[in-house]
Structure formats: C-alpha cells, structure tokens
Amino acid sequence: MRLKIVPGSILFLLLAACNSNPGKSTKPDVLASNLDTTINPADDFFEYANGGWIKRNPIPSDESGWGLFQVIPNETLNRLKTINEEAAKANAAKGSAEQKISDFWKAAMDSAKIEQQGTQPLQPYLDKIAGIKDAATLQNTIAELDRMGVSTAFGLYVGQDPKISSLEALQIYQAGTGLPEREFYFKTDSTSVNIRNAYVKHMATMLMMIGGDSTKALASAKNILALETQFAKASRKLEDLRDPYLNYHKYATKDLEKDFSGIDWTNYMTVFGTSNVDSVIIGQPDYYKALGTLLHSTSIDTWKDYLRYRLVDEFSETLPDAFSKEAFSFNKLFSGAQERRARWKRAIRAEQNVMGELLGQIYVKKYFNDTAKQRYTTLVENIRTALKNRIGSLPWMSDSTRQKALTKLAVLNKKIGYPDKWKDFSSLEITGDSYFQNMVNANIFWHNYNVHKLGKPVDKTEWTMYPQTYNAYYDPSNNEIVLPAAAFIVPGYNDNELDDAVVYGYMAASTIGHEITHGFDDEGRQFDAQGNLTQWWTPQDSAKFTQRADVLIKQFSNFVAVDTFKINGRATLGENIADLGGVLLGLDAFKQTEQYKKGEKIAGFTPVQRFFLGYALSWQENERPENIRTQVLTDVHSPERFRVNGPLPNVDAFYEAFNVKPGNKMFLPDSARARIW
C-alpha cells in the first residue's frame, strides 16, 4: 500500500489531464513555490523540494503531522460533512442510503443524549463479563465480544487462501496486545518505559470510569499489562509478519483442539459463527499455543478486567466525552497531537469505517467523472509498458522466470475510481437513537458480511478501500492495483496548470508505479499471475533477487528517523522496493512524453528535474517526533522524508539532474546502488 497521511480546508480539484504545455496561471509554480533554496538538493533532496512549504506551515495542534497529504483527507471530510448535512435535511425513506447517513450523523453529533445515557449502553456487556466463571464461559464471552467488534485475544477473519486464491478461508492471526506493536512491551529506552507506565495509568482510569475502585483498578491494570506482555512474547516481530510462507499453516478443524490444547475451538467457532469450516489457516501457531495455556493459568479476575478495558476502549468515542478525552490523552503519546479533532470530524471518520462505500456512492457522483477515470487508465498502461520493457531486459533474470513475470504483469488487473458493483447495506440497521448501538450494529453487520463469504467464490469486483480514500493498494491474491478516486487529487491546482513532469512524478511514480511494483517486491513476487502463493521463480533467480534487495535493507537500516530510533530496513523492504521501482517506472514512462523530448525548462527547471521534484512533492510532510517513533516501530512504510532521500540515490538519472558528486550526502558509489527492477 502506498500510505499517504494527509488536514485543513484548501481548494483542490481533480487532476483531469496530463499536459505537456500547461496553461497560463496566476498561481505560483506548483514546485518552485515549495523550495528551500538554502539547501543543496544533492545533500537533502526532501528538504530542498519541500522545506519552504514546511517552514510556512506549522503542524496544527490537533494533528500528528502536517503536509500536503493532510490537506486532502480533511477537505474530503468537509465534503462528507456537506453530504451528511444534506442527508439530515432530506427526511429520506427508511432503509435508504440518505436515512442511514442522516441517522448515524444525528446520533453521533447528539452529545447531550450521549452524556445523558452515560455508561448504560455498556451495562449488558459488563454484566456478561461479570458472569464469567471459568475458562469455558471466558471463551464464550470472548467470542461474543469478537462478533461485536471488540478486539481481544483471538484474531479470526475471513480472507483469500494465499495458496488457493479462488477460495475464501478462515484465517487466525496473533492478537491480544493493546499497545501498537510488540516491541513497546520490551524496549528499555526511556520513551518506551514511559509509554508502558502511562498505559497502566490509562487502563486504571478507564476501569475506574466504569465503576472500579481506584486501588483495585491500578492493580488490575498492572495485571492486564503482564497478560499482554505474555501475548507479545508469543507474537512475531513486524518484519517476520511479512513472510507469507512463515505465516501460513493450514490445519484441519478437527485437529485444532489436539494441536492447540486449552482452547475449546469447537465451541468458540460455533459462537463466532464459523462452525461449518473444515480447515483454517493459522498465521502464528506459537501464539495460539501460548494462548491455550494463558486461558487457564491467568486468573479469571484478570481476564475479566482485560475484557472490561477492551470493551470500553473499543467504544470510548460513543460514550460520554470524558472517555474520549482519556483515550486521546493516552494515544497522543504515539501521535504527538495536542488537541482532539473536532467532534464532527471524529464522527465522520467513524461513519466511514461503518459505511464508507455508502458515502462513496454519493461522493463520486459529485466529485469524480468518467473522463478523469479514462485518463488515469492510460497512465496505468504507460507504467505497465515501462515495467514490461524493464523485465524484458533484466540481465540477472533467466528466461524461465522472465516469461512468467511478463505473464503476471500482462494479466495484472486495475481498478480505478470506484467499484463497478457497490456493496449492499440493506441489512445494516442505523437509527438516530444511540451512537453506541449504531456502532455495535455496524460491527455485527461487517462480521456477518465477512463470515458469509466462507464457502463462496471470491468476489473479484470487491474493493477494500473507499472511493474518497486518499490512498491506493496492490492485492497479491487478486493480482490487482486499486486506485480510488481521491488518489488523483493535486491540491490547489487544476489540470491545465500541471505539466507532464509533475504528473508523472507525483502520480505515475509515487502511486501507480509504486503499486504495480508491489506485485514484484520481496513479498508480492511470491504470488503468481493468478494470485496464488507458489514458487514460480527459479532458485537461482530468487537468490539473485534477495541479494539485490539486501542492498536496500542495509541502506535503510542505517537511517536514523528520530532520536536513536532507526528505520527497520527489513520490515520496510517491500515499500522501499516499491518506491524505488515507482521512480524508475515513472521516469521511463515520462521519457515517452513530448515535454521530455522537447527538453524545455519551466520555472528554471528541466523536465527531468521537475519529475524528481514532482515525486518529492508527493511525500511533502512534517511529522511530530512521537508520530515518527511510532511509525518506525509499527509501520512497514518508512517516514516520508526517507521515501524521497532513500530511493533517489539509487537512481542514476538523479545524479545528472542535480549534479550529485562524491562528498554530497545523497551520493552513493555505483557499486553500492540497489539494482532490482
């Protein structure tokens, strides 16, 4: 996935064309206006390209970062707010999209009613937890909570079988921890120790807010941390979770209780609604072996407190404001944000999680057109051609692997703008009476939606992103790239104000080329043309690929992101390969344009210089140190600065474009550059 973290209200328009001769405009050049010319581009290209903008735009207090790519999601929120407000005035028929949107909005924004209801909506579930007597009733309650969206010690979901991509399979993944990543439980630096201490205080506060005694709540919170630490010990590290073979273990359902003693799988899956499956895929067996022991060795009282906390944490936003404030107060340790977002923004973000595609149906009618969709279809094909040419001339790849790679590329599917078939939300019950109940109903709706996929053919038309999402993804099991409508936005500029160099750097390289390259990164390359996890490379070619990819691992592992926190080069390898591949493919495709062939300067920059500046623009971002620390430990994407300064030293054309010489910080000797695709 090409992650973009993007706030604020600024005029923006869909990028509707790729023009080698941009029209006259009174606006400043989209690239030149962002520069910090006190920086040598050969030393820090990210700062050179974006530093002027960053200096003029401090991070708002309610954000973890601020950049070009906060602008777009916040403008989208403004558009969705208008959609909600119009729906609220429509008095729409029950069951219609407008009715569900209107009632969700009204319930979420009715803070007076939420305060009046207090914690009463939680009570039936708190009573259920209080009634736990033993391991059997504990597992029953966990399964019931899982169905309504409370994340606990089990991680069950339905997804395509990686080895048989035409089948939907029940998959079971490690879970249980409340901190963002397992390393937070073990790191001994002062920041991590402070986070663990704050976590205990936070959990104790939440438990007190639902009626717990202060002394007992603190002891309970410490016990919860000890339990979660056991979960973390049995969990795999972030980098190991990216190995598809390491995380694929198929078991017959009838053998689960023998292989994972201590867990009543038959009863759990009956309550969960998946009792009709004959096999499951378990990603991390060691975790579930440990869980089987912990279900019996950990006191029932600790388990009850754990479930109480997870329940209130899951629904804190739907409860009186004190709960949301407490959740924010703790979570700002990871984001660095100093203020909560406005209530209406929080409500719409929740609404998108509930029925984002329902909102998307209205969004695309207002803000996206088929002309733009066709133009970006052409861009995708230009990038496909560029990769085809590169694969065809790779000196290190055998003909056997090459032909299979070309076949995979040829059948790679593209989804652009919005789904051809929308999801059916008719069974989702939304009323204006209770924000909490709407969220419970929505979680159960999605649980049922996914469970009902079992035993059915994979729906190749389905999207797992909304049209209004400013992001994109590659799905290895479907061998497809998905580019939502909002991915084609350039803030503040219309199509006739943007030249091809900007478009090919900003969109073709950083998004389209990036996503297509994911089909051939260290993880994606292990899936064949039909999306099946299988060994289709020769052993010799696999070894050569790994050797070349290791160059990027070493490069990125040496980058200090913030304080003493370095980038995890192995965990971020797939995204780093995709960034490098995207730049190379975008540049190859750009070289076929008239602008490149003419070689004329715009705003003092050659076409190739503008291409690289356009690529840097796509990562324009200023982040708080807390957010960078969290990203380094939890995310497979490198921080934005290094998504520019990391791949470009491996691109030969960059050296010529900006006169990069030995002694410059961006310089790498030819022998040290990564050469993959």
Side-chain angles (χ1 to χ4, degrees):
M1 183 180 295
R2 180 206 187 277
L3 184 65
K4 282 187 177 181
I5 311 173
V6 202
S9 180
I10 175 176
L11 173 66
F12 71 85
L13 297 167
L14 287 180
L15 176 60
C18 305
N19 300 308
S20 59
N21 295 306
K24 293 182 179 179
S25 173
T26 58
K27 296 177 183 178
D29 181 72
V30 65
L31 303 175
S33 59
N34 296 322
L35 302 181
D36 182 350
T37 56
T38 68
I39 303 295
N40 185 343
D43 288 332
D44 186 342
F45 193 69
F46 174 88
E47 198 66 31
Y48 170 76
N50 297 312
W53 189 95
I54 290 172
K55 287 177 180 178
R56 297 190 302 272
N57 293 274
I59 302 173
S61 59
D62 65 342
E63 296 291 344
S64 60
W66 190 253
L68 188 65
F69 305 109
Q70 265 99 7
V71 171
I72 294 171
N74 271 264
E75 183 59 29
T76 297
L77 287 178
N78 284 320
R79 290 180 165 186
L80 294 177
K81 182 182 180 184
T82 299
I83 290 172
N84 274 271
E85 290 173 339
E86 289 175 351
K89 297 174 184 177
N91 194 27
K94 183 173 175 58
S96 65
E98 288 77 9
Q99 176 265 312
K100 294 179 195 294
I101 292 170
S102 170
D103 282 353
F104 188 95
W105 172 252
K106 290 175 181 177
M109 293 300 292
D110 193 346
S111 57
K113 180 182 284 188
I114 292 171
E115 294 294 329
Q116 182 183 23
Q117 291 174 338
T119 59
Q120 182 181 355
L122 288 179
Q123 200 56 51
Y125 308 101
L126 292 172
D127 291 344
K128 183 75 177 179
I129 293 170
I132 295 173
K133 302 186 299 292
D134 50 29
T137 52
L138 168 63
Q139 292 178 67
N140 268 5
T141 304
I142 290 175
E144 291 181 18
L145 291 173
D146 278 354
R147 289 184 69 252
M148 58 179 277
V150 180
S151 301
T152 60
F154 287 76
L156 280 69
Y157 68 98
V158 177
Q160 287 170 267
D161 185 329
K163 292 189 177 182
I164 313 173
S165 64
S166 61
L167 298 179
E168 297 280 10
L170 181 61
Q171 309 201 38
I172 305 176
Y173 222 66
Q174 67 189 39
T177 54
L179 294 177
E181 213 279 325
R182 76 179 296 279
E183 297 307 308
F184 281 110
Y185 292 89
F186 307 117
K187 288 179 70 67
T188 57
D189 60 277
S190 59
T191 298
S192 301
V193 171
N194 178 57
I195 285 172
R196 288 196 292 273
N197 292 336
Y199 187 38
V200 168
K201 293 178 182 177
H202 163 65
M203 289 190 290
T205 299
M206 285 292 215
L207 292 173
M208 285 189 288
M209 291 170 69
I210 55 173
D213 170 79
S214 59
T215 301
K216 182 179 182 301
L218 184 59
S220 297
K222 291 179 180 178
N223 290 335
I224 294 171
L225 178 65
L227 175 61
E228 291 189 5
T229 301
Q230 293 302 309
F231 294 151
K233 284 181 180 178
S235 299
R236 292 213 174 111
K237 293 184 177 182
L238 181 65
E239 55 267 34
D240 294 328
L241 294 175
R242 296 192 62 255
D243 185 329
Y245 284 99
L246 182 63
N247 295 282
Y248 185 99
H249 308 272
K250 184 169 279 191
Y251 293 84
T253 307
K254 62 182 177 61
D255 295 332
L256 287 177
E257 291 180 21
K258 176 186 68 177
D259 295 331
F260 301 93
S261 60
I263 300 176
D264 186 349
W265 288 103
T266 300
N267 191 57
Y268 190 93
M269 289 202 283
T270 297
V271 177
F272 194 73
T274 54
S275 58
N276 60 336
V277 297
D278 57 9
S279 65
V280 301
I281 298 167
I282 297 185
Q284 302 77 33
D286 288 346
Y287 172 83
Y288 283 93
K289 289 176 181 177
L291 177 59
T293 299
L294 291 168
L295 286 168
H296 299 270
S297 63
T298 303
S299 76
I300 290 296
D301 285 342
T302 295
W303 274 109
K304 288 181 179 180
D305 290 329
Y306 170 77
L307 295 180
R308 289 186 185 104
Y309 168 69
R310 298 311 287 263
L311 173 68
V312 72
D313 180 63
E314 174 67 31
F315 294 105
S316 62
E317 192 61 45
T318 72
L319 298 172
D321 204 42
F323 287 89
S324 177
K325 284 182 178 177
E326 172 58 29
F328 169 78
S329 179
F330 173 64
N331 287 320
K332 70 182 183 181
L333 291 175
F334 305 102
S335 69
Q338 300 303 304
E339 295 180 15
R340 283 187 304 167
R341 291 185 175 96
R343 184 176 192 88
W344 71 267
K345 290 184 179 182
R346 305 197 313 269
I348 292 176
R349 287 173 186 269
E351 184 182 41
Q352 290 216 78
N353 289 334
V354 168
M355 46 187 173
E357 199 169 287
L358 203 62
L359 289 165
Q361 294 179 42
I362 300 174
Y363 177 90
V364 296
K365 289 178 183 177
K366 287 177 171 282
Y367 304 114
F368 192 67
N369 59 58
D370 289 335
T371 301
K373 185 172 182 175
Q374 181 55 47
R375 286 166 179 154
Y376 282 95
T377 298
T378 300
L379 254 189
V380 170
E381 293 309 316
N382 292 346
I383 294 295
R384 192 197 305 259
T385 298
L387 182 53
K388 177 183 177 181
N389 293 337
R390 280 190 169 267
I391 292 174
S393 60
L394 284 176
W396 58 268
M397 180 177 280
S398 69
D399 287 340
S400 172
T401 303
R402 188 190 322 278
Q403 292 308 312
K404 292 174 182 176
L406 290 171
T407 297
K408 178 176 181 177
L409 177 63
V411 300
L412 181 143
N413 187 33
K414 57 182 181 292
K415 295 177 178 176
I416 298 176
Y418 52 87
D420 294 326
K421 182 178 72 175
W422 299 98
K423 291 182 175 68
D424 180 4
F425 288 87
S426 60
S427 64
L428 173 61
E429 181 71 19
I430 298 292
T431 74
D433 299 329
S434 171
Y435 188 13
F436 173 85
Q437 193 58 50
N438 283 341
M439 291 303 298
V440 171
N441 291 350
N443 290 343
I444 293 174
F445 167 84
W446 283 111
H447 170 82
N448 292 336
Y449 174 86
N450 288 305
V451 165
H452 288 163
K453 291 180 180 180
L454 286 169
K456 295 183 175 65
V458 171
D459 182 359
K460 297 282 189 176
T461 69
E462 184 176 16
W463 285 48
T464 57
M465 239 174 222
Y466 313 130
Q468 65 273 22
T469 302
Y470 188 48
N471 210 331
Y473 66 91
Y474 171 78
D475 181 347
S477 292
N478 284 332
N479 189 26
E480 66 182 10
I481 59 168
V482 181
L483 306 165
F488 307 118
I489 292 169
V490 176
Y493 289 83
N494 201 353
D495 64 288
N496 65 337
E497 298 163 328
L498 295 165
D499 51 297
D500 274 344
V502 173
V503 173
Y504 276 83
Y506 178 90
M507 175 53 63
S510 72
T511 300
I512 298 172
H514 174 99
E515 298 305 339
I516 288 181
T517 302
H518 268 315
F520 303 89
D521 68 17
D522 64 309
E523 186 174 2
R525 75 176 186 85
Q526 299 183 73
F527 293 80
D528 66 14
Q530 287 71 45
N532 296 314
L533 180 61
T534 185
Q535 299 283 4
W536 57 275
W537 289 57
T538 68
Q540 295 82 2
D541 288 341
S542 288
K544 292 174 183 177
F545 178 95
T546 299
Q547 183 181 26
R548 290 165 182 271
D550 283 347
V551 176
L552 276 183
I553 293 176
K554 293 174 184 177
Q555 288 179 11
F556 278 82
S557 295
N558 286 324
F559 289 134
V560 178
V562 63
D563 302 332
T564 59
F565 287 70
K566 287 187 175 182
I567 292 175
N568 186 332
R570 191 165 297 279
T572 58
L573 178 60
E575 298 300 330
N576 298 334
I577 290 174
D579 284 340
L580 175 56
V583 173
L584 294 171
L585 296 177
L587 183 57
D588 285 354
F590 173 57
K591 287 181 178 179
Q592 306 307 309
T593 67
E594 287 301 312
Q595 181 182 5
Y596 174 81
K597 294 173 182 177
K598 288 181 179 178
E600 297 173 355
K601 289 186 177 182
I602 298 176
F605 294 104
T606 67
V608 173
Q609 288 175 326
R610 291 184 67 80
F611 168 84
F612 286 116
L613 289 168
Y615 175 75
L617 172 65
S618 72
W619 301 113
Q620 188 180 86
E621 174 79 9
N622 187 17
E623 294 182 273
R624 297 188 191 277
E626 297 92 341
N627 194 53
I628 297 175
R629 278 195 295 266
T630 302
Q631 183 175 356
V632 167
L633 291 178
T634 66
D635 201 339
V636 296
H637 300 79
S638 300
E640 276 76 353
R641 175 181 300 274
F642 301 97
R643 301 189 73 170
V644 176
N645 289 352
L648 293 191
N650 296 287
V651 180
D652 295 344
F654 175 70
Y655 288 75
E656 181 180 354
F658 289 96
N659 195 32
V660 183
K661 302 291 186 183
N664 292 131
K665 294 178 182 179
M666 297 283 290
F667 180 84
L668 281 176
D670 186 85
S671 60
R673 297 174 198 171
R675 312 284 191 187
I676 306 175
W677 295 109

